Amino acid sequence: MNEQARLASLHSYDVLDTPPEAEFDDFTRLASQICGTPIALISLVDAGRQWFKSRVGLDIGETPRELAFCAYTVLGDNIFEVPDTLKDERFADHPLVTGAPDIRFYAGAPLHASDGSNIGSVCVIDHVPHHLTDGQRDALTTLGRQIMRQLELRKSAAHSARDAAFSHAILDSAAASIISTTPEGTITTFSHGSEQLLGYAADEVVGKMTPAILHDPAEVAARARELTAELGRPVSAGFEVFVCKSCCGSSETREWTYIRKDGTRVPVLLSVSAIVDADHTLTGFLGVARDITELKRAQADLQHLAAELSRSNSDLEKFACIASHDLQEPLRMITSYLQLLQRRYKGRLDEQADEFIGFAVDGAARLQSLVSGLLTFARIGTGRTAAVPVDMNVPLDTALENLKLTIAEKEAMIIREAMPTVCGDAAMLAQLLQNLVGNSLKFCREPTPRIHISAKASGEEWIISIEDNGIGIEPQFLDRIFTIFERLHSYADFPGTGIGLALCKKIVERHGGRIWVTSEAGKGSAFSFSLPAVGG
Ligand code: ADP
């Protein structure tokens, strides 16, 4: 073992420079008596010195390491003995031999630590030459072992004391309530957090109560019935309810209601685990509980908010449905009379009047498409979605038929592949395709708009894509465009309402599918959506 590890081992015993202790002095007295020498020492060999934990017949407390006979002892595993120092050339000129304390005889047994290193020695010294008998050598070796045992004991006692102090510090500082019990359920620890949460002092409950007393009896009885049914054996409505699950090794965490000393109630999240010793024998239970009043309040607020939100959502949709219905009729009248006015009196009114009528026609048309978009959006939000086999060629025909004027106007090239039969609502699917193909036409590039409509199977669904060579979409906007009223361009450049894609998303989701877009600005976009296949 290297010197650094040996020193680390020595320091781990925390014994250097400690006051004399009777247990160790007994050993040195014994060593000197058994070996018949005036001096006996327990020497610990530190980096630059040897320090004596116990000494008989010597006044100095330590010597430099280079003068230490014991520095030789720690190098070997057996007794190091110098019967006559003057006859040994290593020591004949040694200052402790030629001067005080006039060492003529030395014998030391190494102190062999549990990690294999020799941290010092127990040694005997005389002023005259000497020889140890076999019995004395044996006794010295045994004393070395006993001294080490004593040092190990001190070390583990110090660890235990540190651990206990640490556990107490944790117990007292934790905001949670920590309660431990015997296997039978008597409280053995009641932390500071428990006192604060429950209003009892530790003295009132430790050794006197079971934690079952702290619970709502109705809750405990209900849980006992549940466990009896679940485990197929009677579970009594007491302490057993909390521990019968953790008995088997796993811990159990569930919500409970604690009743404080003053009778008030507090919801807690309680984790109960079994405490077992090294032999797997059950020594008790540990319950850690956290006050969840705030959490419960936040949960209730959230539920309330969600209910409000869903009510206001459907109220909003109902309102949009009714309002847009009532708006459509007069709007249609305004638009058609304005258009009539424009056609019939074109060229007969002054230029400004013509222009004003033009603005009114545009405004009315814009309002009409907004109202009709909202109406469809609300209808799809509240109405029922059919789920019947739909040959997608049919809604696609409908969509293209509705768009045929724009297709012709733009001289667009439509490439359509065969469409599958899916499960859904034909009218909604026609609307979906019309919106997507309509957008491709609107955002297509002159002079040769090209729109490719394709379908491919993917597991139990179909993926239908509408790909165009239009202006494309910048990557940072891709996530936003399915949100209602989200538009990327000015109305003047590309008239629209910002409802179309939100509507598409709603239709696809009502069919249990997804919609997404891939696009490269300036090159084109591909809108794809998935729909369940028939029987899928
Ligand atoms: P709008 O009525 O404005 O077309 P949509 O919800 O249909 O509303 O579309 C939202 C926005 O997404 C559009 O304003 C446009 O900026 C962008 N967009 C939709 N389809 C395409 C497409 N095929 N090519 C480029 N941009 C598109």
Side-chain angles (χ1 to χ4, degrees), residues 409-428:
E409 212 175 89
K410 296 229 169 186
E411 294 178 5
M413 188 199 300
I414 308 283
I415 305 153
R416 64 180 277 187
E417 291 181 7
M419 289 288 115
T421 296
V422 299
C423 184
D425 184 309
M428 283 193 194

Side-chain angles (χ1 to χ4, degrees), residues 223-244:
R223 179 70 181 143
R225 283 193 296 275
E226 249 174 51
L227 286 167
T228 301
E230 186 185 323
L231 304 176
R233 64 170 174 82
V235 174
S236 61
F239 183 66
E240 196 187 351
V241 160
F242 307 103
V243 298
C244 64

Side-chain angles (χ1 to χ4, degrees), residues 436 439-440 442-443 468 471-473 481 486-489 494-502 525 527:
L436 293 176
N439 273 353
S440 287
K442 182 160 53 171
F443 298 103
D468 63 49
I471 59 171
I473 303 163
I481 56 170
E486 193 68 58
R487 309 191 64 247
L488 310 180
H489 306 96
F494 294 100
T497 57
I499 298 176
L501 287 180
S525 315
F527 283 82

